[in-house]
Structure formats: C-alpha cells, structure tokens
C-alpha cells in the first residue's frame, strides 16, 4: 500500500513512518505558514513536503546510493560470464536455497530470459521441450491505498468529478481541489471517497477500481508533482514490474496486477466487483497459458486479502461437490456461511452429518489439488500476519493520510471503509496453537537460542500484543487543567476507565467501549461494530478473525520484511470532563517499539512548555525485561510481532510430521544464514563474508555494480534468512519456507529494494528451475 506522506506519524499501512521525534509545533507552523501571502497551491505543496524533513530518513537516504545505473540484468549476460559449478546448458544446478547467491540468480535470469524470448505467444504451445517453457506467471496483489480508483459518475453538483476521473490519486487534480478558494471541490472529493456504513455507494457517487498493471504500478501519472511529493510511494509495484520486464521478458501475458477497491472489506469486494472470482479466473488462465504453476506476490494488506481469498476458493470447491451430489439447482442452496445450513427444495435429500463430512473432505482434496497445480510459490512482502494497531487509531480518532483535511473529515471517511477492519490485531493468546508449536520444536534449542531468538521468545513467552501493556487504554483527564492521568508516563493506574485487549479490538468490543465512553450523535462507532460483524463474522468465507493466518498449503512460501524502524504498538486515550458531544477522542500517549526491541512511551497531543524538556514531547523507556523483548522493531508501519509471526511457519513441516532430506525435524531442520550490507553472498554464522563477488575476467568490477536495476532502490541492508524444507508424505515433493528480515528497510520500500528482490527471486527462480526437470 502506498499513500501520501502523513502530516503526523500515524497510520498509513504502507507509508513508513520512521521517526518518533515529532514535534507539537509542526501543526502551529503549518497554521502560520498558511497565513503568508503565497498562493494556496504553494502552501499545499509545502504541507505535503514537510513530512520529508525527518533527520532519521535524511541520514538513512544519504547513506544509500540512489545513482541511476543504466546497465540492467539483461545487458551483456552470456553463458560464460559468471562462474557456476555446472554448465547452464546442461540443466539446473543443485543449490541449497539457504545459500543462493548473486552468481546463481544471474545464471537463472539468463536461462529464463532466453526461454521467455524463444516462447512467443504463437509458438509456446507447439514445443513440448522443458527448456522452452516461459518463466512462471506472476500475480501482484497490492495493499491498502495502493491501486487506483476512478469515478464512474458525474454528479451535477460536482463538476470536478467526471466519468473516469482518477479519484485516487491524481496529484494535479488534488492540488487544484485543495487549493481552491471554495471548499466545494474538496467536499465533492470526500463525498466520492466515502461509503455508506453497509459499504455501498453514497447517493450520486460511484467509484470503482482501476484494472490491469497500470492500476497497481503507480498511483498518480508521472509528473514533477507526483515524483516530488509521492516519491517511491507512487511507484510501489512499478519498480518490480520494470525489473521483471527488463530482466525476464515479462509482459501482460505473464504478469497480472489485481486492482481492487481497497476501501471495501473482502466480502463486499466479491459481492460488488467479483474481485475474488477475477483473481481465481486469472490464475487459471495464466497457468494454462504458461503450462506451469504461478507465483503470487502480495504486499502489506494484500496478504490479508490473499488469506481471505484462499478460504473463499476452498469454499467454492466445497460448493462444487455439494452441487454435484445433492443440489443441482443452485436456488436450492443458501451460501451465507462456510458449511452453512442448506435450504433444500421440497423432496430433496437432507444430508446427514456423515455425508456432509465426506463432502468437506472431497472439497478439501480438490482445493489442495488446484493449489498444487496453480500456485507454486507465495511471496508475502511486509505481511501483517497478526494485523496492526494503527487502524484502531484511524477509526477512533482519525488519520489524514497526509491530505490537507481535518482529522474529523478523515475519520468520518475511514469509518465507512470496511478495509479499516481487515488489519485489526489478532489475539495469539486466544487463537495460537501453543502446544503444537512447542511440540514442533523437537529436542529443544540445543544451544541455538541465539540463532532462533525470535522464535524461541514467541513460543516460550507466548507473545501477544498486550504482554507488557494494554493494547489500547482509556484514562480520565484532570478536569482543572485537562492533563491526562497518563497511564505509563505517570507510572500510575489512577483513573483508568478501560484496558482493551487484542481480542477486544478484533471482535468489535473496543468500538462499543469507545462508543459508551465518548458518546456521539448517531453512534458512529456502534455502526462500525455492526459493519464489522456483517462484513466478517457473519460469513465464514471472509472471517479472518477466527484463526491465525497459518502457513498456506503452497509448496514454497517466502516472507520478507524490514525491521528496526520506530513503529507504533499501542495507545492511551484520555476522556476530558469538558468534552463536547461530538469531540473526537484524543490520543495522549503513543507506545513505540524501537531498534533492539526497546519500548518507549511518548506524550502526544499536548502543548509544549519549557518544563517539558524545552518544548519537546516527553519520551520515556518502559520497564520491560530485555529477555522478554523480541529484540527488534517493526518496519515503521507493521509491528515486529505481526511480521515475525512468520517464524512460526518454519515449524509447519514438523507439525505435519515431515522431515527434511536428512531426516531432521523441528528447529534442527532450520538453517540461518546472513548477508552483511554490501556483501556478495549468504554465509552461515562464523563464516567470513565476501565484500564483493567478482565477475570473471571483470577485473575489480563486482556483481553489485552490474545487477542493480535503475528502477530499484540501492540501499544495501544487512539481512538474515531462515530456511527450512520438508518432503511431503503425500506427494513426495519438496516444500520450503523462508523468512527474510532486512534491517532498516521501510514498509513501502520492500517491493523496491534491490537486495530484497534479489534474495526473494533467487529462490523463486531456483524453484521454477527445478520444475524444468
């Protein structure tokens, strides 16, 4: 997902917010700036540019090499350029997925690019030789606010909104709308973006998602304004698309971008736009054409969408079984929930529990067969496996997403979005299979606690969002000076009105609690709770809150994400005695995780005084025992616990009773390798790292000087990789799981960072290479 840089460091689930050094005076500065005799357009531009003045980001970006490199993967590559242990023309090279390096990927790129070049759309079905197979089809699923939305209405009262107008996000139009002396156009834009609480279109307005690669490649058409204000956020998937096209000859026949209305819940996407059916049909078509299973790449919230889609597909196969056996007339069924009760026509056979169980088993078998033949690899970039905390703040008190709109207006808009519930926190205390995870570890850590520190702490300490503090708390404010009885900064619990757990947030109880403590006209938070129940809990197919997202039953799974950037992980709200009827709840404390897993509390939303450290917000470290911390921070948007839950996926094979090729199971089968910043290959702990992988006959020229692509960021992070493989007892095929952590890579940069894509697609291409045989 990508969105405009936030005016304050808040929820923008793909916009990395790396600084926790925000100042209260920023809002005052903007107010004074707007009174200067500049044009409103200049003021608007400065408002959007202001968030980039961030010391931490400036230092980090200075350290990166952002120079354009004209030479790409395909230039000058021939069969003898790189050294390999096996002649590329003699079939695939056996490589341990944990040690795939730059030389290997360069060889595979050349091999697949040659195959793609020789397999035109007219000839690819004529040849049956494996070497003529094109690379696997790739499906791109973006995240929240990461695909275009277009107007499909022309309201007479809003002349700025015409049919096909790019509503999200055309910056020149946005600048015009928000710089006009009249607020009519801004209100029209807000009205077009808002939904009704049942997620239907508002009267006179109709917005629909863009389609194809263009819809997911960039938010706003190329322009100076788009490049200057949105930067990399504008080209979230464009970088990857260009890289695949230039490196492997991908085009629209082998690449597909799922444009969808990211305002909607999964249920409404399918009901209104057939989004899930479109994805299912597209994968069928692409796989049939390529004659090999495809690769699904999802970013951010797109991973939660993919989770829901898998459930929907399984249900479709169950429906197929029922239709064949008991209900040829589809009108005889009501598919409101998973394995729902059926409304049978008079005279039809009412199935027994045993029969229904048989149908379930057969539906599951067909679903698994379809997965095996249609999706070989799932790549989850910055996947919020356990959700995030920021959506709670957006719904309760508003998130402007960097737009020059009030928090009241932004909150009124975000309340209507079903998608703001999609990333609500998932409780591990309630839903995790702790005994299964502990049993899968095997014979203990065997002195390897340091190698698997995150996994060990998750399992041994049974980590949840609220292990050390309530996820969301509400305190009473002092009536005299409106100073909150801060729950953590003051070190007291006096005046605590509510402490909300992860389960309270995902179940909707939090909305009810805030609705009671902060009553408003029309009870919008109670309406939000009803929307949550209708869009998720009332239909099994789309309810992602009744279980933790376990490793999908796909042969190869790769998770990659950034770490160690300051990330919001909790909030304290204050209820003031003098609060007006419709005043928004105000955040008084923000809890952050920072590098090393340190937990910090920051005062929020209060006027600075000389006594408060010269006008700076108070920030104090929480007293959390080091041994009970996970040791890292998130990616600036998604907390580390949510990202790192993927480490438990490494135990999936052991939980199935599988072992690796050497008959090892549990943590004994997991390997950990590391790639230092700027080094050329993956090494095990204790091994000496190469600072450069030299090209044969290339003198001092390194592969790093050739492989980077001009469309990708050149920041070289330190990376850690955990890999495990197992042999399926049912198919005798190899299954793999990889978790990759990149230090200092922001949430929105994951699909653009060269080192991450190099590491991810080295494995993707290696898996695809194995399928040639």
């Amino acid at each position: 997902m990508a969105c405009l840089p936030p005016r304050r460091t808040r929820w923008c689930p793909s916009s990395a917010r790396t600084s926790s050094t925000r100042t209260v005076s920023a809002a005052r500065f903007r107010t004074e700036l707007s009174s200067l005799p500049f044009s409103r357009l200049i003021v608007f531009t400065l408002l959007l540019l202001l968030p980039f003045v961030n010391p931490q980001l400036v230092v980090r970006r200075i350290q990166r090499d952002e120079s354009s490199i004209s030479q790409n993967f395909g230039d000058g590559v021939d069969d003898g350029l790189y050294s390999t242990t096996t002649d590329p023309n003699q079939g695939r090279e056996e490589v341990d997925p944990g040690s795939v390096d730059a030389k290997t990927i360069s060889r595979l790129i050349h091999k697949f690019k040659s195959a793609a070049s020789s397999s035109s759309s007219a000839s690819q079905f004529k040849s049956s030789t494996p070497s003529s197979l094109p690379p696997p089809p790739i499906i791109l699923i973006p995240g929240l606010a990461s695909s275009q939305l277009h107007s499909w209405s022309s309201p007479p009262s809003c002349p700025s909104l015409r049919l096909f107008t790019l509503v999200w996000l055309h910056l020149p139009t946005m600048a015009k709308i928000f710089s006009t002396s009249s607020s009519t156009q801004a209100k029209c834009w807000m009205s077009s973006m808002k939904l009704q609480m049942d997620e239907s279109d508002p009267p006179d307005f109709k917005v629909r998602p863009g389609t194809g690669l263009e819809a997911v490649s960039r938010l706003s058409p190329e322009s100076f304004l788009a490049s200057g204000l949105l930067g990399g956020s504008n080209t979230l998937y464009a970088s990857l698309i260009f890289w695949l096209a230039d490196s492997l000859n991908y085009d629209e026949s082998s690449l597909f971008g799922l444009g969808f209305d990211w305002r909607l819940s999964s249920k409404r996407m399918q009901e209104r736009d057939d989004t899930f059916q479109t994805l299912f049909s597209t994968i069928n078509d692409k796989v049939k054409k390529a004659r090999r299973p495809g690769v699904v790449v999802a970013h951010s919230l797109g991973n939660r969408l993919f989770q829901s889609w898998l459930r929907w597909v399984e249900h479709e196969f169950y429906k197929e079984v029922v239709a064949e056996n008991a209900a040829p007339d589809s009108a005889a069924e009501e598919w409101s929930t998973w394995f729902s009760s059926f409304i049978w026509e008079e005279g039809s056979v009412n199935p027994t529990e045993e029969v229904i169980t048989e149908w379930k088993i057969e539906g599951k078998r067909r679903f698994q067969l379809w997965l095996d033949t249609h999706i070989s690899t799932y790549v989850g970039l910055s996947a919020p496996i356990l959700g995030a905390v920021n959506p709670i703040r957006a719904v309760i008190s508003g998130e402007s997403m960097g737009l020059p709109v009030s928090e009241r207006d932004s909150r009124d808009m975000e309340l209507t979005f079903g998608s703001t519930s999609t990333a609500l926190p998932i409780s591990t205390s309630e839903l995790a299979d702790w005994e299964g995870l502990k049993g899968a570890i095997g014979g203990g850590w065997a002195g390897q606690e340091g190698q698997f520190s995150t996994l060990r702490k998750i399992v041994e300490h049974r980590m949840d969002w609220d292990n050390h503090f309530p996820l969301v708390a509400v305190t009473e404010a002092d009536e005299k000076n409106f100073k909150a009885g801060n729950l953590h900064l003051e070190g007291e619990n006096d005046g605590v009105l509510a402490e909300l757990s992860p389960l309270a947030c995902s179940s909707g109880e939090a909305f009810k609690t805030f609705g009671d403590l902060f009553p408003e006209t029309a009870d919008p938070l109670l309406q939000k709770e009803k929307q949550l129940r209708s869009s998720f809990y009332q239909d099994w197919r789309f309810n992602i809150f009744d279980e933790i997202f376990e490793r999908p039953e796909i042969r190869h799974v790769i998770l990659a994400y950034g770490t160690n950037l300051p990330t919001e992980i909790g909030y304290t709200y204050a209820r003031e005695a003098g609060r007006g009827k419709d005043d928004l709840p105000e955040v008084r404390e923000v809890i952050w995780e920072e590098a090393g897993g340190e937990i910090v509390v920051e005062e929020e939303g209060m006027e600075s005084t000389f006594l408060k450290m010269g006008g700076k917000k108070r920030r104090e470290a929480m007293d959390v025992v080091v041994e009970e911390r996970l040791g890292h921070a998130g990616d600036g948007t998604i907390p580390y616990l949510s990202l790192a839950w993927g480490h438990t996926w490494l135990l999936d094979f052991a939980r199935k009773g599988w072992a690796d090729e050497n008959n090892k199971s549990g943590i004994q089968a997991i390997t950990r390798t590391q790639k230092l910043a700027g080094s050329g290959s993956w090494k095990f702990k204790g091994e000496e790292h190469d600072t450069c992988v030299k090209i044969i006959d290339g003198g001092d020229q390194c592969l790093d000087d050739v492989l980077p692509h001009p469309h990708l960021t050149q920041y070289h992070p330190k990376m850690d990789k955990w890999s495990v493989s197992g042999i399926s007892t049912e198919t005798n095929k190899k299954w793999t799981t990889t978790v990759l952590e990149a230090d200092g890579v922001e949430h929105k940069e994951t699909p653009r960072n060269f080192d991450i894509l190099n590491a991810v697609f080295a494995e993707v291409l290696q898996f695809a290479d194995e399928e040639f045989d």
Side-chain angles (χ1 to χ4, degrees):
M1 157 284 133
C3 55
L4 289 175
R7 292 187 296 159
R8 301 175 65 184
T9 305
R10 295 217 180 154
W11 184 50
C12 178
S14 184
S15 196
R17 302 176 313 275
T18 60
S19 173
S20 58
T21 57
R22 298 165 291 166
T23 60
V24 177
S25 58
R28 182 180 302 165
F29 174 76
R30 296 187 185 101
T31 301
E32 294 172 352
L33 180 66
S34 63
S35 65
L36 296 177
F38 302 141
S39 72
R40 292 180 180 270
L41 178 58
I42 294 177
V43 173
F44 170 68
T45 304
L46 290 175
L47 285 173
L48 291 176
L49 284 172
L50 192 58
F52 284 105
V53 186
N54 182 316
Q56 295 187 20
L57 286 179
V58 170
V59 172
R60 185 173 294 114
R61 285 166 179 164
I62 289 177
Q63 294 172 344
R64 303 180 187 181
D65 177 15
E66 294 291 347
S67 61
S68 296
I69 300 176
S70 59
Q71 191 171 16
N72 60 46
F73 278 98
D75 294 335
V77 179
D78 58 44
D79 289 339
L81 186 57
Y82 304 117
S83 64
T84 56
T85 58
T86 303
D87 186 340
N89 294 321
Q90 296 180 358
R92 67 182 175 89
E93 175 185 359
E94 289 289 351
V95 180
D96 179 358
S99 62
V100 173
D101 57 19
K103 291 181 179 180
T104 303
I105 190 173
S106 66
R107 179 185 65 78
L108 293 172
I109 282 175
H110 178 52
K111 180 174 183 177
F112 279 94
K113 187 170 184 177
S114 299
S117 298
S118 63
S119 299
S120 66
S121 59
S123 64
Q124 61 179 310
F125 289 102
K126 297 179 180 180
S127 175
S128 60
T129 58
S131 60
S132 69
L133 286 178
I138 294 178
I139 312 298
L140 302 176
I141 305 178
L144 187 68
S146 290
S147 54
Q148 298 176 359
L149 300 178
H150 298 263
S151 174
W152 280 80
S153 60
S154 300
S157 59
C158 297
S160 61
L161 285 176
R162 298 184 180 88
L163 195 64
F164 306 137
T165 297
L166 181 58
V167 177
W168 185 270
L169 185 69
H170 188 260
L171 276 182
T173 300
M174 297 295 292
K176 179 181 178 181
I177 288 176
F178 286 100
S179 64
T180 182
S181 58
S182 171
S183 62
T184 301
Q185 293 190 73
K187 289 181 179 179
C188 285
W189 181 85
M190 292 286 292
S191 297
S192 70
M193 288 292 294
K194 284 180 65 175
L195 299 167
Q196 301 197 78
M197 288 308 297
D198 62 357
E199 300 185 70
S200 62
D201 295 316
D204 300 326
F205 293 94
K206 183 179 180 180
V207 170
R208 293 295 182 265
T211 58
L213 293 176
E214 178 63 26
V216 304
S217 62
R218 57 173 54 88
L219 294 179
S220 185
E222 286 289 348
S223 66
F224 172 78
L225 194 61
S227 299
L229 300 185
L230 289 179
S233 298
N234 188 45
T235 57
L236 188 69
Y237 268 138
S239 303
L240 178 56
I241 292 170
F242 294 156
W243 184 77
L244 290 170
D246 289 347
S247 303
L248 296 170
N249 280 0
Y250 272 89
D251 55 33
E252 286 190 330
S253 67
S254 50
L255 258 181
F256 174 74
L258 181 67
F260 58 89
D261 191 337
W262 44 264
R263 302 172 302 165
L264 303 175
S265 64
S266 297
K267 179 181 178 181
R268 289 293 295 143
M269 285 183 204
Q270 171 56 22
E271 290 176 344
R272 196 194 73 182
D273 299 335
D274 283 334
T275 303
F276 281 10
Q277 181 62 53
T278 298
L279 180 57
F280 180 73
S281 300
T282 299
I283 292 178
N284 281 330
D285 293 341
K286 298 293 184 184
V287 168
K288 181 179 179 180
K289 184 174 183 179
R291 293 174 295 148
R292 62 181 349 181
V295 177
V296 172
V297 180
H299 179 253
S300 190
L301 204 69
N303 291 276
R304 301 301 295 273
L305 181 66
F306 182 64
Q307 173 192 1
S308 183
W309 177 78
L310 288 173
R311 296 175 68 136
W312 178 85
V313 173
E314 183 176 357
H315 188 250
E316 288 299 296
F317 281 104
Y318 174 71
K319 285 171 59 176
E320 181 181 84
V321 173
V322 175
E324 291 175 359
N325 291 276
D329 183 1
S330 60
E333 309 166 31
E334 182 178 275
W335 302 104
S336 59
T337 60
W338 173 250
F339 300 148
S340 61
S341 59
F342 301 95
I343 301 177
W344 303 102
E345 288 185 335
E346 185 176 357
S348 62
V349 178
N350 192 358
T352 64
E353 289 296 326
E354 291 76 11
V355 170
I356 292 179
T357 299
E358 291 178 3
W359 292 346
K360 292 178 183 179
I361 294 173
E362 175 61 15
K364 178 70 175 179
R365 187 194 68 81
R366 295 186 187 186
F367 169 63
Q368 189 58 58
L369 178 62
W370 183 88
L371 271 185
D372 290 342
T373 55
H374 286 77
I375 302 178
S376 65
T377 307
Y378 160 51
V379 178
L381 302 177
S382 306
I385 299 176
L386 299 179
V389 299
N390 316 79
I392 302 169
R393 181 171 181 168
V395 171
I396 292 175
S397 50
E399 168 55 66
S400 65
M401 296 195 292
L403 296 171
V405 297
S406 68
E407 290 184 347
R408 162 61 67 183
D409 288 339
S410 64
R411 190 256 198 162
D412 289 346
M413 180 173 61
E414 289 154 351
L415 267 172
T416 68
F417 293 174
S419 58
T420 51
S421 295
T422 305
L424 288 173
I426 304 295
S427 170
T428 63
S429 298
E430 300 291 334
L431 298 174
D433 177 20
W434 294 113
E435 296 306 316
L437 292 172
K438 188 174 181 180
I441 291 170
W445 301 103
Q448 300 189 73
E449 293 88 344
Q451 291 288 87
F452 309 106
S453 173
T454 296
L455 180 59
R456 181 179 65 84
K457 289 183 178 181
I458 285 177
V459 176
E460 290 188 355
H461 294 281
R462 300 197 170 196
M463 299 298 293
D464 205 351
W465 297 94
D466 55 352
N467 271 35
H468 309 299
F469 50 84
L471 187 65
V472 179
V474 183
T475 66
E476 197 74 75
D478 186 284
E479 183 176 357
K480 184 176 181 180
N481 55 23
F482 300 103
K483 180 176 181 297
N486 291 330
L487 182 61
H488 303 100
L489 285 173
E490 299 296 328
E492 301 176 355
N493 289 339
D494 295 341
V496 176
L497 300 175
E499 294 183 350
L500 300 173
S501 67
L503 182 61
C505 294
S506 61
S507 67
E509 179 185 338
F511 299 145
K512 288 183 178 180
T513 300
F514 271 86
D516 292 338
L517 294 175
F518 301 89
E520 301 175 68
T521 303
D523 295 324
L525 288 176
L526 295 183
Q527 293 186 51
K528 185 65 178 178
E529 189 270 341
K530 292 179 180 178
Q531 181 198 73
L532 172 66
R533 314 250 9 133
S534 173
S535 299
F536 293 90
Y537 283 93
Q538 292 180 8
D539 194 328
W540 184 96
R541 297 171 298 171
F542 307 103
N543 181 17
I544 56 176
F545 301 120
D546 62 352
E547 63 181 11
I548 290 178
F549 186 18
E550 300 286 359
R551 184 195 182 282
E553 298 294 301
I554 296 170
R555 275 188 293 148
H556 307 296
V557 173
I558 305 170
L559 297 175
Y561 50 87
T563 63
N564 286 329
L565 297 173
T567 307
E568 297 177 5
I569 57 175
Y571 309 105
T572 301
Y573 284 84
R575 186 178 71 174
E576 298 176 348
R579 173 185 177 272
K581 173 70 173 177
D582 291 319
D583 290 345
L584 291 179
E586 184 173 353
V587 177
R588 288 301 176 89
E589 289 178 350
V590 178
I591 304 174
W592 296 80
E593 59 182 4
E594 299 189 333
E598 183 179 9
I599 308 299
V600 176
V601 184
E602 179 181 72
E603 193 171 41
E604 174 83 358
M606 302 181 71
E607 292 297 326
S608 52
T609 66
F610 176 76
L611 296 178
K612 294 178 182 176
M613 301 179 63
K616 296 182 178 179
K617 296 180 181 180
R618 290 186 298 167
R619 303 181 76 247
E620 297 178 6
M622 288 186 64
D623 185 18
V624 178
V625 180
V626 174
E627 288 74 16
E628 296 180 353
R629 300 174 187 167
L630 286 177
H632 297 283
D635 63 4
T637 296
I638 308 300
Y640 184 66
L641 175 62
S642 183
L643 296 165
W645 192 260
H647 283 260
T648 67
W649 290 14
L650 296 166
L651 297 174
D652 181 70
F653 304 144
R655 295 169 71 180
K656 287 184 170 71
W658 299 357
D660 66 5
E661 293 90 337
N662 300 314
N663 204 33
K664 293 182 180 179
S665 62
I667 64 166
Q668 304 302 320
I670 304 172
T671 60
R672 180 185 181 183
T673 52
Q674 188 179 72
K675 188 175 184 291
L676 299 181
S679 66
S681 58
W682 294 91
K683 297 293 183 178
F684 292 101
K685 185 178 181 180
E687 290 186 307
E688 183 177 352
H689 287 261
D690 299 325
T691 56
C692 170
V693 177
K694 297 294 181 63
I695 301 176
I696 295 178
D697 299 328
D700 293 330
Q701 191 175 16
C702 301
L703 278 173
D704 279 346
D705 298 328
V706 176
L707 292 180
H709 193 277
H711 296 292
L712 304 180
T713 60
Q714 305 306 311
Y715 169 53
H716 298 293
K718 169 183 172 293
M719 295 191 292
D720 288 281
K721 179 165 63 175
W722 293 263
S723 302
V724 65
S725 62
I727 304 300
S728 169
T729 56
E730 297 178 357
T731 64
N732 201 36
K733 292 183 179 179
K734 183 170 72 173
W735 289 42
T736 66
T737 304
T738 299
V739 177
L740 191 151
E741 296 185 352
D743 187 68
V745 176
E746 302 159 295
H747 185 78
K748 71 178 184 297
E749 296 298 321
T750 309
R752 301 188 337 116
N753 182 268
F754 164 74
D755 285 31
I756 289 179
L757 294 182
N758 189 42
V760 167
F761 279 90
E763 298 207 6
V764 170
L765 294 178
Q766 181 65 32
F767 301 147
D769 189 40
E770 293 173 358
E771 294 172 3
F772 269 87
D773 293 349

